[in-house]
Amino acid sequence: MSSETRPGASLYADAVQAVIRLRAATGQVAGLDQVAACLGVPREDLVELFPDDRRLLHATAENAMMLLHDMCVRTVATVDPADPVGQFEALSDAYVDWACAHPQEFFILSTMPDHEFRTNETLMRYEIGIQQAMLRILGLAQARGLLAPGDDLRVMLSVAHTFAFGVINKMLMGDLARWSSAGDRREAAHAAMNAFVRKVLVPDRAAG
């Protein structure tokens, strides 16, 4: 059930946003007590929606993944489906833009323990959707000769994800631009991500 249709939807959304604000202010992920104080509502009202701190964290992470998934889908849809390089660049641009707009969400997701993420069906559904989009694009690139026939697409997927995570993390930490000729951190991240795509998805690689 989405936050727009569940009872207490407004409080649900307000609580998630309070977690984000408090994370920006303190560097810590807030629990029910802190969020109740921030919103000026009784803790019991929040407990009706979030039984414990863990469920509040998961709700915040689910909202973050929904935003990322939506941005990825909408951005890739604007690119020619027969152009794997353009589609992969669009996907990387979407990740950068999402992280710029939602830095606290990025940090919450990136510090979430693997076992917590894996046991949440909603988080896994969004992540698998993004993975499938990436694998589809990589498969198209391989069919077009932009990747060698023997390249393992799952390995390429994990390498791309690891590179993207590092770029986003350095961008948000503020020091990526120092190592780049780009003018600001977002531009530097876009340049790094697109350079990676162009270095990976090039015809010369398959022939080498």
Side-chain angles (χ1 to χ4, degrees):
M1 183 182 296
S2 70
S3 62
E4 288 79 11
T5 59
R6 67 166 55 86
S10 178
L11 180 58
Y12 186 100
D14 289 347
V16 167
Q17 290 307 307
V19 173
I20 299 304
R21 292 198 305 273
L22 290 168
R23 171 63 176 73
T26 68
Q28 304 295 320
V29 178
L32 291 168
D33 290 338
Q34 295 95 330
V35 170
C38 177
L39 296 177
V41 300
R43 188 181 190 277
E44 293 72 21
D45 289 358
L46 291 178
V47 172
E48 292 182 8
L49 301 173
F50 314 100
D52 50 35
D53 290 347
R54 180 174 181 270
R55 180 58 208 142
L56 177 60
L57 169 63
H58 279 230
T60 305
E62 288 166 9
N63 185 67
M65 283 298 293
M66 177 189 69
L67 294 170
L68 174 58
H69 182 271
D70 180 65
M71 184 170 288
C72 288
V73 170
R74 287 189 291 106
T75 303
V76 171
T78 65
V79 181
D80 181 354
D83 178 10
V85 175
Q87 286 206 324
F88 217 75
E89 286 181 334
L91 201 59
S92 67
D93 286 345
Y95 192 20
V96 170
D97 292 340
W98 168 81
C100 280
H102 305 284
Q104 303 310 319
E105 287 89 333
F106 171 83
F107 286 123
I108 287 172
L109 285 173
S110 66
T111 56
M112 194 171 191
D114 179 66
H115 70 274
E116 290 280 347
F117 200 104
R118 286 179 182 271
T119 56
N120 185 301
E121 292 182 2
T122 300
L123 293 176
M124 289 301 298
R125 184 173 68 251
Y126 285 129
E127 181 173 85
I128 289 171
I130 294 172
Q131 289 179 357
Q132 289 175 338
M134 295 173 70
L135 286 170
R136 178 187 58 77
I137 296 169
L138 290 172
L140 178 60
Q142 194 170 49
R144 297 288 176 86
L146 303 180
L147 289 171
D151 282 342
D152 186 325
L153 298 188
R154 295 295 304 191
V155 171
M156 300 300 297
L157 178 73
S158 66
V159 169
H161 172 261
T162 301
F163 181 84
F165 175 85
V167 168
I168 297 297
N169 190 61
K170 297 297 283 183
M171 175 189 73
L172 295 179
M173 295 297 290
D175 58 350
L176 179 64
R178 292 205 316 267
W179 293 78
S180 172
S181 60
D184 60 31
R185 64 177 192 169
R186 182 186 298 225
E187 184 182 345
H190 280 307
M193 298 281 270
N194 289 338
F196 176 83
V197 173
R198 295 282 173 170
K199 285 295 182 181
V200 172
L201 302 182
V202 292
D204 290 345
R205 185 176 184 278

